Amino acid sequence: MTTPFPFTAVVGQDDLRLALLLNAVSPAVGGVLVRGEKGTAKSTAVRALSALLPQVPVVPGCRFSCDPASPDPGCPDGPHEAGGGAERPARMVELPVGASEDRLVGALDIERALSEGVKAFEPGLLADAHRGILYVDEVNLLHDHLVDLLLDAAAMGASYVEREGVSVRHAARFLLVGTMNPEEGELRPQLLDRFGLTVEVAASREPDQRVEVVKRRLAYDDDPSAFAARWAEEEAAVRARIVAARELLPSVRLGDGALRQIAATCAAFEVDGMRADIVMARTATALAAWAGRTDVLAEDVRQAALLALPHRRRRNPFDAPGLDEDKLDETLEEFGGSDDDDPDPDPGPDGPGGGGGQPEPDDAPQGDGDTAARPEAGENGQPQPSGAGEQSAVRASEPFRTKVLSVPGIGEGAAGRRSRARTEHGRTTGARRPRGALTKLHLAATVQAAAPHQRARGRSGPGLVVRRDDLRQASREGREGNLVLFVVDASGSMAARQRMSAVKGAVLSLLLDAYQRRDKVGLVTFRGTDADVALPPTSSVDAAAARLETLPTGGRTPLAAGLLRAHDVLRVERLRDPARRPLVVLVTDGRATGGPEPVALAGRAARLFAADGVASVVVDCESGPVRLGLAGQLAGELGGTAVTLDELRADSIAGLVKDVQRRAA
């Protein structure tokens, strides 16, 4: 068995270690979402935590880790008699990004259930994680329905498997930890809210601290056992402190004064619902227990707010998580008052992550979530012109709700909300023989397949004799996410400030739509003499919005270069993710200048997309009383549809078909 890196040997990352320890003390806090760039010890710290958790008493032979002192009366392996039992280390179960629903919640033997009426159940990862840690690396890349399932189980403390009238329930209480790199895409706000705490991690910029990180990592890699032995005493101390804090937790008193501060803080920051108040209360209580106190202090409430509120402040996907600490301090001071029942004892012992004190200044979130929202391109901080004819970036106009654009036909890409696709979830459209393991039974088709063979199989009782060949998989149709590749004209013909502001607002609106529909996005821009891939295809829509805001304009219009660069991007992405269908959104006025025969070159480049069957739409940005209709001609070459900026709005009078129609050759 591999020796894990010691938790106490992790350098820095005080907020991360504190959040993990608070959940170890009180799993009711609701788990931790760790956000940060790659290589910041996120996974190392999570894996190291499992070694600090106390031993778990279990019923011998129970696949669901029932507690012998109070076994689950509904355990599928039960009933168990109370008493006895054995101990084992707490488990840390990892949920891979590509896991199926059956792997997560478990699977029923449908054939035995139909023919014998037996609940033959194979436990999933939720059962394995019961009374331990469930770790999801890159949780933002996990399919939404799987995230929903595990968050529901974490909230209810149980997992339910319902399939074709057969029901199985088992306990599933675990410490949920998710890690993610925001550059690869965000979680939906509804899912963010289900994580109790969140922390932002980043690599230290202090040379001495970075040196210490490298020294410890090299020492661990050379001899993991010897390195772990050097930290054994510190590990034992933290383990004992977790046990002591768990025992103290029921005695911690949350006074009315602290509750008023919690409620006032959540109201001041306008968080939705009441989950934030409850999580803050549980976190503040755990902080007091971790510090060895029986009373919750104002410093506990402040630290709880810094851990529980930043991810609940986001109003749209382009808002950065954060909390205005000055506003937080003012709120706590205003509603602090005096609480005669609250004594002011000395704070408890210090340790990894500290007590309920303040975070380190270098680790404090910078700025308010409102002010850190989608970058506003102002006069300060704009890129300076780097060449003749270049103009600085202008800010985008306010985004709006767009018409639905989708790819024709039926795909088989990743689950999303844009185009029609054959998926595991959705409405049932038919039945087929299963390829591999059966996941969604089509009951009527299965019975129909088995019925003609009942006499030959010697059926004599009321039960249906079902064999493997009779089983039918339900074919379902849902929605998929697409690759939406934006090709944006940033040339001089588009550079009028008011006009470019409207164009950026339209693209930003489409980016918001792509976020809501679970698309990948890419951004290609062209101006001057060439085209650039401003953002390779990614799930991080907010990264695309940031690149868009800083986009300068000016110069000629190398339309053909922009189309050829976009075609090359799609070619490479098709090799990486062949199931994800692309949708090209070309934003231009249709003018092409620079080089010999620019219009003819652009037409030939456009016909490459039509030949490949790539769905496309041209957003016509031409304005003024005299219109040349060049964008419409270009849409014809692409085999797509042209729409004006006004027609792009969902509430516009002009109609826009939902599917991007490809014209017949």
Side-chain angles (χ1 to χ4, degrees):
M1 182 177 179
T2 304
T3 303
F5 192 92
F7 186 85
T8 51
V10 175
V11 179
Q13 309 296 10
D14 291 340
D15 286 346
L16 169 59
R17 293 192 294 159
L18 177 59
L20 291 173
L21 289 169
L22 291 177
N23 274 271
V25 171
S26 176
V29 167
V32 187
L33 176 64
V34 187
R35 299 165 43 93
E37 58 197 25
K38 50 188 175 295
T40 49
K42 301 189 297 293
S43 300
T44 298
V46 175
R47 292 188 175 99
L49 178 66
S50 61
L52 295 178
L53 298 182
Q55 292 274 317
V56 178
V58 296
V59 173
C62 178
R63 297 175 298 167
F64 302 89
S65 302
C66 280
D67 186 348
S70 56
D72 181 6
C75 175
D77 282 356
H80 305 298
E81 294 184 2
E87 288 192 343
R88 63 161 175 78
R91 292 174 181 159
M92 194 203 73
V93 177
E94 293 194 43
L95 175 63
V97 170
S100 65
E101 179 179 339
D102 286 345
R103 185 71 185 98
L104 177 64
V105 302
L108 291 169
D109 189 331
I110 302 296
E111 185 175 353
R112 291 188 63 192
L114 286 176
S115 59
E116 303 175 27
V118 176
K119 294 182 181 179
F121 181 70
E122 185 65 30
L125 295 177
L126 292 180
D128 293 341
H130 180 46
R131 305 175 69 198
I133 300 173
L134 181 61
Y135 172 47
V136 188
D137 194 13
E138 306 295 351
V139 65
N140 52 323
L141 303 183
L142 196 66
H143 284 178
D144 286 345
H145 75 282
L146 293 182
V147 179
D148 286 329
L149 285 172
L150 69 90
L151 289 176
D152 284 342
M156 296 186 296
S159 175
Y160 295 86
V161 181
E162 303 281 350
R163 189 160 298 171
E164 315 305 335
V166 181
S167 175
V168 174
R169 172 214 166 272
H170 65 83
R173 293 183 295 275
F174 46 82
L175 193 168
L176 176 63
V177 183
T179 58
M180 60 175 283
N181 184 346
E183 294 178 357
E184 297 174 337
E186 289 286 355
L187 276 174
R188 289 184 288 154
Q190 298 93 327
L191 299 180
L192 280 173
D193 184 55
R194 299 289 291 275
F195 281 94
L197 310 180
T198 186
V199 291
E200 295 276 342
V201 296
S204 172
R205 299 296 182 259
E206 293 294 328
D208 291 342
Q209 194 172 72
R210 295 176 74 96
V211 167
E212 186 62 25
V213 170
V214 174
K215 288 170 63 177
R216 293 187 186 183
R217 186 70 213 189
L218 292 177
Y220 171 77
D221 291 341
D222 288 341
D223 191 342
S225 298
F227 184 81
R230 286 168 46 193
W231 294 88
E233 186 175 345
E234 289 84 350
E235 293 281 286
V238 174
R239 190 178 297 110
R241 188 173 173 186
I242 291 174
V243 174
R246 284 185 173 184
E247 294 175 351
L248 183 62
L249 187 64
S251 303
V252 175
R253 189 177 67 90
L254 185 65
D256 290 343
L259 279 172
R260 281 195 299 271
Q261 288 183 317
I262 290 171
T265 300
C266 293
F269 285 99
E270 300 179 353
V271 297
D272 296 330
M274 295 297 298
R275 184 175 283 120
D277 303 63
I278 296 170
V279 170
M280 274 190 65
R282 290 172 174 168
T283 304
T285 303
L287 280 162
W290 177 248
R293 291 185 265 101
T294 56
D295 288 278
V296 174
L297 306 181
E299 64 189 61
D300 300 322
V301 176
R302 186 183 194 277
Q303 182 67 74
L306 293 174
L307 293 172
L309 296 188
H311 59 305
R312 295 182 167 91
R313 291 280 297 118
R314 299 189 62 171
R315 289 297 185 229
N316 68 63
F318 304 147
D319 289 344
L323 215 61
D324 185 341
E325 294 195 45
D326 291 336
K327 181 178 180 180
L328 173 61
D329 290 335
E330 291 173 2
T331 303
L332 293 176
E333 183 177 355
E334 178 182 355
F335 289 89
S338 61
D339 193 335
D340 296 335
D341 296 331
D342 287 350
D344 188 17
D346 293 333
D350 294 330
Q358 309 288 339
E360 294 296 326
D362 290 342
D363 295 332
Q366 300 297 318
D368 188 359
D370 287 339
T371 60
R374 173 178 55 83
E376 292 290 336
E379 296 299 323
N380 300 325
Q382 292 300 327
Q384 297 299 318
S386 58
E390 179 176 308
Q391 301 180 22
S392 61
V394 298
R395 70 181 61 189
S397 62
E398 285 299 315
F400 52 85
R401 188 166 63 90
T402 66
K403 291 285 189 181
V404 180
L405 305 176
S406 59
V407 178
I410 301 179
E412 294 183 345
R417 295 185 176 181
R418 183 171 296 279
S419 305
R420 294 172 59 196
R422 285 180 285 270
T423 61
E424 288 294 321
H425 298 271
R427 63 185 182 90
T428 300
T429 58
R432 59 176 173 81
R433 291 182 181 272
R435 296 190 292 267
L438 179 72
T439 55
K440 299 292 182 182
L441 178 74
H442 194 296
L443 183 58
T446 299
V447 173
Q448 186 176 10
H453 309 291
Q454 296 306 296
R455 179 174 297 179
R457 294 173 183 174
R459 173 186 170 186
S460 58
L464 189 67
V465 180
V466 180
R467 294 181 179 173
R468 178 69 186 176
D469 290 343
D470 301 327
L471 299 180
R472 295 294 182 268
Q473 175 84 21
S475 298
R476 301 196 174 192
E477 183 178 307
R479 293 281 170 174
E480 67 177 358
N482 297 111
L483 166 59
V484 182
L485 182 62
F486 294 93
V487 186
V488 180
D489 184 348
S491 64
S493 65
M494 301 278 289
R497 297 184 70 86
Q498 186 175 2
R499 184 180 181 188
M500 198 61 196
S501 176
V503 168
K504 284 189 174 182
V507 178
L508 189 65
S509 303
L510 290 167
L511 284 171
L512 277 166
D513 183 68
Y515 167 81
Q516 294 166 351
R517 300 185 187 281
R518 315 291 180 264
D519 294 317
K520 290 181 70 173
V521 296
L523 179 62
V524 173
T525 64
F526 57 94
R527 66 184 182 88
T529 60
D530 202 1
D532 295 313
V533 181
L535 185 71
T538 176
S539 297
S540 180
V541 175
D542 50 348
R547 301 291 174 87
L548 178 71
E549 281 293 338
T550 58
L551 176 66
T553 57
R556 294 183 178 273
T557 311
L559 179 56
L563 291 171
L564 290 173
R565 184 61 60 90
H567 188 268
D568 189 57
V569 169
L570 293 184
R571 178 183 59 81
V572 174
E573 192 63 19
R574 194 177 295 116
L575 297 174
R576 294 175 177 169
D577 191 357
R580 188 180 291 269
R581 297 187 294 163
L583 171 63
V584 173
V585 179
L586 175 60
V587 185
T588 181
D589 57 8
R591 291 183 172 88
T593 59
E597 300 182 348
V599 176
L601 283 175
R604 286 199 292 271
R607 287 192 289 274
L608 293 175
F609 292 86
D612 290 343
V614 176
S616 60
V617 61
V618 178
V619 180
D620 184 359
C621 302
E622 191 175 25
S623 60
V626 179
R627 296 175 179 266
L628 302 179
L630 298 175
Q633 297 175 24
L634 185 61
E637 300 280 3
L638 285 165
T641 300
V643 298
T644 65
L645 289 174
D646 288 338
E647 291 172 337
L648 195 61
R649 294 177 178 269
D651 55 356
S652 65
I653 298 176
L656 175 63
V657 293
K658 292 186 176 181
D659 289 340
V660 180
Q661 300 295 334
R662 290 180 292 183
R663 297 181 181 178

mmCIF file of all heavy atoms in Angstrom, residues 617-647:
data_model
loop_
_atom_site.group_PDB
_atom_site.id
_atom_site.type_symbol
_atom_site.label_atom_id
_atom_site.label_comp_id
_atom_site.label_asym_id
_atom_site.label_seq_id
_atom_site.Cartn_x
_atom_site.Cartn_y
_atom_site.Cartn_z
ATOM 1 N N VAL A 617 -23.635 29.738 -38.313
ATOM 2 C CA VAL A 617 -24.517 30.895 -38.370
ATOM 3 C C VAL A 617 -23.636 32.133 -38.460
ATOM 4 O O VAL A 617 -22.590 32.213 -37.816
ATOM 5 C CB VAL A 617 -25.445 30.966 -37.137
ATOM 6 C CG1 VAL A 617 -24.662 31.084 -35.851
ATOM 7 C CG2 VAL A 617 -26.409 32.133 -37.258
ATOM 8 N N VAL A 618 -24.036 33.067 -39.306
ATOM 9 C CA VAL A 618 -23.306 34.322 -39.470
ATOM 10 C C VAL A 618 -24.112 35.423 -38.804
ATOM 11 O O VAL A 618 -25.280 35.654 -39.162
ATOM 12 C CB VAL A 618 -23.076 34.648 -40.954
ATOM 13 C CG1 VAL A 618 -22.351 35.983 -41.096
ATOM 14 C CG2 VAL A 618 -22.280 33.544 -41.631
ATOM 15 N N VAL A 619 -23.509 36.082 -37.826
ATOM 16 C CA VAL A 619 -24.146 37.224 -37.174
ATOM 17 C C VAL A 619 -23.753 38.464 -37.967
ATOM 18 O O VAL A 619 -22.600 38.892 -37.943
ATOM 19 C CB VAL A 619 -23.716 37.343 -35.705
ATOM 20 C CG1 VAL A 619 -24.390 38.546 -35.055
ATOM 21 C CG2 VAL A 619 -24.058 36.073 -34.941
ATOM 22 N N ASP A 620 -24.688 39.010 -38.704
ATOM 23 C CA ASP A 620 -24.444 40.126 -39.618
ATOM 24 C C ASP A 620 -24.370 41.428 -38.822
ATOM 25 O O ASP A 620 -25.362 41.875 -38.241
ATOM 26 C CB ASP A 620 -25.577 40.184 -40.649
ATOM 27 C CG ASP A 620 -25.341 41.256 -41.708
ATOM 28 O OD1 ASP A 620 -24.321 41.964 -41.628
ATOM 29 O OD2 ASP A 620 -26.189 41.378 -42.619
ATOM 30 N N CYS A 621 -23.175 42.015 -38.794
ATOM 31 C CA CYS A 621 -22.962 43.244 -38.024
ATOM 32 C C CYS A 621 -22.987 44.491 -38.904
ATOM 33 O O CYS A 621 -22.612 45.577 -38.439
ATOM 34 C CB CYS A 621 -21.622 43.167 -37.289
ATOM 35 S SG CYS A 621 -21.487 41.767 -36.174
ATOM 36 N N GLU A 622 -23.385 44.356 -40.153
ATOM 37 C CA GLU A 622 -23.429 45.510 -41.050
ATOM 38 C C GLU A 622 -24.494 46.482 -40.567
ATOM 39 O O GLU A 622 -25.582 46.079 -40.150
ATOM 40 C CB GLU A 622 -23.744 45.050 -42.472
ATOM 41 C CG GLU A 622 -23.556 46.140 -43.503
ATOM 42 C CD GLU A 622 -23.757 45.622 -44.916
ATOM 43 O OE1 GLU A 622 -24.467 44.608 -45.085
ATOM 44 O OE2 GLU A 622 -23.215 46.229 -45.862
ATOM 45 N N SER A 623 -24.171 47.758 -40.620
ATOM 46 C CA SER A 623 -25.107 48.787 -40.160
ATOM 47 C C SER A 623 -25.139 49.922 -41.171
ATOM 48 O O SER A 623 -24.331 49.980 -42.101
ATOM 49 C CB SER A 623 -24.694 49.302 -38.776
ATOM 50 O OG SER A 623 -23.397 49.875 -38.828
ATOM 51 N N GLY A 624 -26.060 50.845 -40.960
ATOM 52 C CA GLY A 624 -26.162 51.979 -41.857
ATOM 53 C C GLY A 624 -27.313 51.833 -42.827
ATOM 54 O O GLY A 624 -27.884 50.746 -42.993
ATOM 55 N N PRO A 625 -27.658 52.927 -43.511
ATOM 56 C CA PRO A 625 -28.810 52.891 -44.435
ATOM 57 C C PRO A 625 -28.549 52.051 -45.679
ATOM 58 O O PRO A 625 -29.478 51.520 -46.277
ATOM 59 C CB PRO A 625 -29.025 54.372 -44.791
ATOM 60 C CG PRO A 625 -27.683 55.019 -44.557
ATOM 61 C CD PRO A 625 -27.058 54.282 -43.422
ATOM 62 N N VAL A 626 -27.271 51.948 -46.090
ATOM 63 C CA VAL A 626 -26.946 51.177 -47.289
ATOM 64 C C VAL A 626 -26.274 49.878 -46.861
ATOM 65 O O VAL A 626 -25.224 49.892 -46.219
ATOM 66 C CB VAL A 626 -26.008 51.972 -48.230
ATOM 67 C CG1 VAL A 626 -25.674 51.123 -49.462
ATOM 68 C CG2 VAL A 626 -26.657 53.280 -48.641
ATOM 69 N N ARG A 627 -26.870 48.747 -47.202
ATOM 70 C CA ARG A 627 -26.333 47.438 -46.821
ATOM 71 C C ARG A 627 -25.948 46.668 -48.080
ATOM 72 O O ARG A 627 -26.712 46.593 -49.037
ATOM 73 C CB ARG A 627 -27.357 46.641 -46.010
ATOM 74 C CG ARG A 627 -27.706 47.286 -44.673
ATOM 75 C CD ARG A 627 -28.807 46.513 -43.962
ATOM 76 N NE ARG A 627 -29.141 47.103 -42.686
ATOM 77 C CZ ARG A 627 -28.614 46.725 -41.513
ATOM 78 N NH1 ARG A 627 -27.728 45.749 -41.488
ATOM 79 N NH2 ARG A 627 -28.965 47.318 -40.395
ATOM 80 N N LEU A 628 -24.780 46.073 -48.033
ATOM 81 C CA LEU A 628 -24.279 45.332 -49.176
ATOM 82 C C LEU A 628 -24.716 43.874 -49.169
ATOM 83 O O LEU A 628 -24.630 43.192 -50.186
ATOM 84 C CB LEU A 628 -22.742 45.402 -49.203
ATOM 85 C CG LEU A 628 -22.140 46.817 -49.267
ATOM 86 C CD1 LEU A 628 -20.619 46.740 -49.254
ATOM 87 C CD2 LEU A 628 -22.625 47.551 -50.515
ATOM 88 N N GLY A 629 -25.134 43.359 -48.017
ATOM 89 C CA GLY A 629 -25.585 41.975 -47.936
ATOM 90 C C GLY A 629 -24.473 40.953 -48.056
ATOM 91 O O GLY A 629 -24.716 39.795 -48.429
ATOM 92 N N LEU A 630 -23.231 41.370 -47.735
ATOM 93 C CA LEU A 630 -22.096 40.458 -47.874
ATOM 94 C C LEU A 630 -22.165 39.309 -46.872
ATOM 95 O O LEU A 630 -21.745 38.188 -47.174
ATOM 96 C CB LEU A 630 -20.784 41.228 -47.704
ATOM 97 C CG LEU A 630 -20.527 42.329 -48.742
ATOM 98 C CD1 LEU A 630 -19.253 43.093 -48.403
ATOM 99 C CD2 LEU A 630 -20.419 41.716 -50.129
ATOM 100 N N ALA A 631 -22.680 39.565 -45.673
ATOM 101 C CA ALA A 631 -22.759 38.505 -44.662
ATOM 102 C C ALA A 631 -23.726 37.408 -45.103
ATOM 103 O O ALA A 631 -23.480 36.215 -44.885
ATOM 104 C CB ALA A 631 -23.195 39.090 -43.320
ATOM 105 N N GLY A 632 -24.831 37.810 -45.751
ATOM 106 C CA GLY A 632 -25.772 36.815 -46.244
ATOM 107 C C GLY A 632 -25.151 35.943 -47.319
ATOM 108 O O GLY A 632 -25.374 34.723 -47.364
ATOM 109 N N GLN A 633 -24.372 36.561 -48.224
ATOM 110 C CA GLN A 633 -23.680 35.782 -49.252
ATOM 111 C C GLN A 633 -22.689 34.807 -48.625
ATOM 112 O O GLN A 633 -22.569 33.660 -49.057
ATOM 113 C CB GLN A 633 -22.958 36.726 -50.211
ATOM 114 C CG GLN A 633 -23.877 37.658 -50.978
ATOM 115 C CD GLN A 633 -23.106 38.654 -51.826
ATOM 116 O OE1 GLN A 633 -21.955 38.412 -52.203
ATOM 117 N NE2 GLN A 633 -23.736 39.789 -52.132
ATOM 118 N N LEU A 634 -21.984 35.278 -47.604
ATOM 119 C CA LEU A 634 -21.019 34.416 -46.926
ATOM 120 C C LEU A 634 -21.722 33.243 -46.248
ATOM 121 O O LEU A 634 -21.219 32.114 -46.253
ATOM 122 C CB LEU A 634 -20.232 35.241 -45.898
ATOM 123 C CG LEU A 634 -19.091 34.529 -45.174
ATOM 124 C CD1 LEU A 634 -18.038 34.046 -46.151
ATOM 125 C CD2 LEU A 634 -18.465 35.461 -44.141
ATOM 126 N N ALA A 635 -22.889 33.498 -45.643
ATOM 127 C CA ALA A 635 -23.653 32.413 -45.018
ATOM 128 C C ALA A 635 -24.038 31.358 -46.045
ATOM 129 O O ALA A 635 -24.040 30.150 -45.762
ATOM 130 C CB ALA A 635 -24.896 32.968 -44.332
ATOM 131 N N GLY A 636 -24.353 31.809 -47.282
ATOM 132 C CA GLY A 636 -24.669 30.856 -48.329
ATOM 133 C C GLY A 636 -23.476 29.985 -48.673
ATOM 134 O O GLY A 636 -23.613 28.774 -48.904
ATOM 135 N N GLU A 637 -22.282 30.581 -48.717
ATOM 136 C CA GLU A 637 -21.074 29.797 -48.986
ATOM 137 C C GLU A 637 -20.808 28.795 -47.859
ATOM 138 O O GLU A 637 -20.353 27.673 -48.104
ATOM 139 C CB GLU A 637 -19.867 30.736 -49.133
ATOM 140 C CG GLU A 637 -19.974 31.754 -50.255
ATOM 141 C CD GLU A 637 -19.646 31.149 -51.611
ATOM 142 O OE1 GLU A 637 -19.391 29.933 -51.672
ATOM 143 O OE2 GLU A 637 -19.655 31.898 -52.613
ATOM 144 N N LEU A 638 -21.099 29.197 -46.631
ATOM 145 C CA LEU A 638 -20.882 28.308 -45.481
ATOM 146 C C LEU A 638 -21.930 27.205 -45.395
ATOM 147 O O LEU A 638 -21.721 26.201 -44.707
ATOM 148 C CB LEU A 638 -20.917 29.121 -44.177
ATOM 149 C CG LEU A 638 -19.707 29.994 -43.854
ATOM 150 C CD1 LEU A 638 -20.051 30.982 -42.750
ATOM 151 C CD2 LEU A 638 -18.523 29.127 -43.419
ATOM 152 N N GLY A 639 -23.062 27.403 -46.065
ATOM 153 C CA GLY A 639 -24.164 26.464 -45.914
ATOM 154 C C GLY A 639 -24.917 26.685 -44.630
ATOM 155 O O GLY A 639 -25.513 25.750 -44.072
ATOM 156 N N GLY A 640 -24.897 27.921 -44.142
ATOM 157 C CA GLY A 640 -25.539 28.234 -42.874
ATOM 158 C C GLY A 640 -26.584 29.318 -43.018
ATOM 159 O O GLY A 640 -27.140 29.546 -44.094
ATOM 160 N N THR A 641 -26.852 30.040 -41.944
ATOM 161 C CA THR A 641 -27.896 31.059 -41.888
ATOM 162 C C THR A 641 -27.296 32.366 -41.400
ATOM 163 O O THR A 641 -26.412 32.369 -40.535
ATOM 164 C CB THR A 641 -29.021 30.622 -40.937
ATOM 165 O OG1 THR A 641 -29.581 29.410 -41.409
ATOM 166 C CG2 THR A 641 -30.111 31.680 -40.844
ATOM 167 N N ALA A 642 -27.762 33.466 -41.935
ATOM 168 C CA ALA A 642 -27.335 34.783 -41.488
ATOM 169 C C ALA A 642 -28.442 35.425 -40.657
ATOM 170 O O ALA A 642 -29.620 35.354 -41.016
ATOM 171 C CB ALA A 642 -27.000 35.671 -42.678
ATOM 172 N N VAL A 643 -28.056 36.039 -39.546
ATOM 173 C CA VAL A 643 -29.005 36.758 -38.698
ATOM 174 C C VAL A 643 -28.396 38.092 -38.320
ATOM 175 O O VAL A 643 -27.170 38.219 -38.211
ATOM 176 C CB VAL A 643 -29.351 35.965 -37.417
ATOM 177 C CG1 VAL A 643 -30.014 34.653 -37.747
ATOM 178 C CG2 VAL A 643 -28.107 35.735 -36.569
ATOM 179 N N THR A 644 -29.208 39.097 -38.135
ATOM 180 C CA THR A 644 -28.719 40.390 -37.677
ATOM 181 C C THR A 644 -28.612 40.395 -36.160
ATOM 182 O O THR A 644 -29.121 39.505 -35.476
ATOM 183 C CB THR A 644 -29.650 41.513 -38.135
ATOM 184 O OG1 THR A 644 -30.921 41.345 -37.482
ATOM 185 C CG2 THR A 644 -29.858 41.473 -39.653
ATOM 186 N N LEU A 645 -27.975 41.424 -35.644
ATOM 187 C CA LEU A 645 -27.863 41.550 -34.189
ATOM 188 C C LEU A 645 -29.246 41.636 -33.545
ATOM 189 O O LEU A 645 -29.476 41.081 -32.469
ATOM 190 C CB LEU A 645 -27.027 42.780 -33.830
ATOM 191 C CG LEU A 645 -25.529 42.697 -34.132
ATOM 192 C CD1 LEU A 645 -24.852 44.037 -33.850
ATOM 193 C CD2 LEU A 645 -24.877 41.603 -33.308
ATOM 194 N N ASP A 646 -30.170 42.347 -34.193
ATOM 195 C CA ASP A 646 -31.518 42.469 -33.631
ATOM 196 C C ASP A 646 -32.242 41.132 -33.637
ATOM 197 O O ASP A 646 -32.976 40.796 -32.704
ATOM 198 C CB ASP A 646 -32.328 43.505 -34.409
ATOM 199 C CG ASP A 646 -31.856 44.925 -34.129
ATOM 200 O OD1 ASP A 646 -31.235 45.129 -33.060
ATOM 201 O OD2 ASP A 646 -32.088 45.806 -34.972
ATOM 202 N N GLU A 647 -32.062 40.353 -34.699
ATOM 203 C CA GLU A 647 -32.731 39.065 -34.792
ATOM 204 C C GLU A 647 -32.185 38.050 -33.803
ATOM 205 O O GLU A 647 -32.843 37.051 -33.513
ATOM 206 C CB GLU A 647 -32.596 38.504 -36.213
ATOM 207 C CG GLU A 647 -33.387 39.270 -37.249
ATOM 208 C CD GLU A 647 -33.070 38.802 -38.660
ATOM 209 O OE1 GLU A 647 -31.975 38.232 -38.869
ATOM 210 O OE2 GLU A 647 -33.912 39.008 -39.553
#
